[in-house]
Amino acid sequence: MIGTTGKRIGAATAALTLTLGLSACGSGEQSSGGEGGDKTITMGIIPSWTDGLSTAYLWKNILEADGYTVEIEEINDAAPLYTGLAGGDFDVYPSAWPEVTHAAYMEEYGDDIEDLGAYYDDAKLTMAVPEYSDLTSIEDLVGKSGDHDGKIVGIEAGAGLTKAVQEQVIPEYGLDEDGWEVQTSSTPAMLNALEDAVGSEEDIVVTLWRPFWANNTFPVRDLEDPKGALGEPEALHELATAGFSEEFPEVAEMMAKAKLDDEQYGTLEDQVVNQNPDDPAAGVEAWIADNQDWVDALKS
């Protein structure tokens, strides 16, 4: 099982290195969605965060079938993504974590952002270890930093998950006094480190989240968080630049209707990330073939 992940992780890394610049057009230059206007919608994503990758290509398929042109801009971190969304450099962030993980960005940029609705209701941040580890709780990390070189293997420095572990988990559990720190890198780098550790049955502590395909691919378990330092479960939202629902009312209405349960989300991400790692559009096509009723309901 582990050996098959290398291609997916490599694909994610390649996507990340091909990060595109922000669109040259500001909000004042965005194309109109009105009758006779250019129906172009730009979506911003962090490609290694597969919830955004999967939902962006899902919406691209749905909207282009209705005559829209959808462009996907790949951004390398959450901070410029929110800055670009608020500034109108792109129109939609299709899978945001505004309630807890990205709350600081919403506090800073929320006045220039529209919340179109939540499509998934039980997302959460986690810290995880391999199933063979003796660790079961974040509390168990106290006194164990020497077994892990004091490193919690993390993702992007600007990620809300990284900030939650650095600013809430570590001080709340006193891990700083034991020499623990988050080793920031990228999502693909974290997954490579996890794959290597599991393959050698070595100890490792990583930052993860749910929903995410890696929880099913790797033999990992979440560490209990008795102090609640990682926050409560939250919903995943579609966010848009201010004024989007006036320019594109039909799209805003469809996004407000969109709801994915665990099975629907899991099969979508599996098709995009695991079954079609080199062609997310093909993964979406395969998912829609089995879920056409869900797509039709958005337009009813």
Side-chain angles (χ1 to χ4, degrees), residues 114-125:
E114 283 189 43
D115 188 342
L116 302 179
Y119 76 87
Y120 179 86
D121 293 326
D122 194 29
K124 61 182 179 180
L125 306 179

Side-chain angles (χ1 to χ4, degrees), residues 134-207:
D134 293 333
L135 303 174
T136 60
S137 169
I138 297 175
E139 289 181 321
D140 294 339
L141 297 179
V142 177
K144 301 291 180 61
S145 63
D147 298 336
H148 299 78
D149 295 327
K151 294 178 181 178
I152 299 167
V153 181
I155 56 172
E156 293 78 7
L161 171 57
T162 301
K163 292 183 178 181
V165 175
Q166 289 174 328
E167 299 175 8
Q168 296 160 213
V169 173
I170 287 178
E172 184 72 18
Y173 286 92
L175 300 181
D176 47 345
E177 299 174 7
D178 193 35
W180 285 97
E181 62 181 7
V182 179
Q183 180 185 46
T184 59
S185 54
S186 66
T187 299
M190 179 275 292
L191 292 171
N192 277 318
L194 177 59
E195 181 179 28
D196 290 344
V198 170
S200 303
E201 290 199 9
E202 297 175 350
D203 290 327
I204 190 170
V205 180
V206 298
T207 61

Side-chain angles (χ1 to χ4, degrees), residues 90-267:
F90 41 83
D91 300 297
V92 175
Y93 179 12
S95 187
W97 301 57
E99 299 175 4
V100 179
T101 308
H102 295 161
Y105 294 121
M106 289 301 290
E107 183 176 350
E108 182 172 359
Y109 299 111
D111 289 345
D112 297 311
I113 291 174
E114 283 189 43
D115 188 342
L116 302 179
Y119 76 87
Y120 179 86
D121 293 326
D122 194 29
K124 61 182 179 180
L125 306 179
T126 67
M127 291 173 59
V129 295
E131 290 177 348
Y132 52 76
S133 172
D134 293 333
L135 303 174
T136 60
S137 169
I138 297 175
E139 289 181 321
D140 294 339
L141 297 179
V142 177
K144 301 291 180 61
S145 63
D147 298 336
H148 299 78
D149 295 327
K151 294 178 181 178
I152 299 167
V153 181
I155 56 172
E156 293 78 7
L161 171 57
T162 301
K163 292 183 178 181
V165 175
Q166 289 174 328
E167 299 175 8
Q168 296 160 213
V169 173
I170 287 178
E172 184 72 18
Y173 286 92
L175 300 181
D176 47 345
E177 299 174 7
D178 193 35
W180 285 97
E181 62 181 7
V182 179
Q183 180 185 46
T184 59
S185 54
S186 66
T187 299
M190 179 275 292
L191 292 171
N192 277 318
L194 177 59
E195 181 179 28
D196 290 344
V198 170
S200 303
E201 290 199 9
E202 297 175 350
D203 290 327
I204 190 170
V205 180
V206 298
T207 61
L208 279 176
W209 60 94
R210 293 182 182 274
F212 187 38
W213 62 265
N215 294 289
N216 298 323
T217 299
F218 296 103
V220 296
R221 67 166 176 269
D222 297 343
L223 291 177
E224 297 174 4
D225 179 19
K227 296 180 183 292
L230 284 169
E232 296 297 319
E234 60 182 309
L236 301 183
H237 293 239
E238 299 104 344
L239 299 182
T241 192
F244 179 83
S245 60
E246 294 181 5
E247 281 194 83
F248 302 97
E250 298 87 357
V251 177
E253 183 178 354
M254 281 194 287
M255 289 188 171
K257 287 183 178 180
K259 307 292 178 186
L260 291 171
D261 60 27
D262 284 326
E263 181 178 359
Q264 291 166 331
Y265 179 90
T267 55

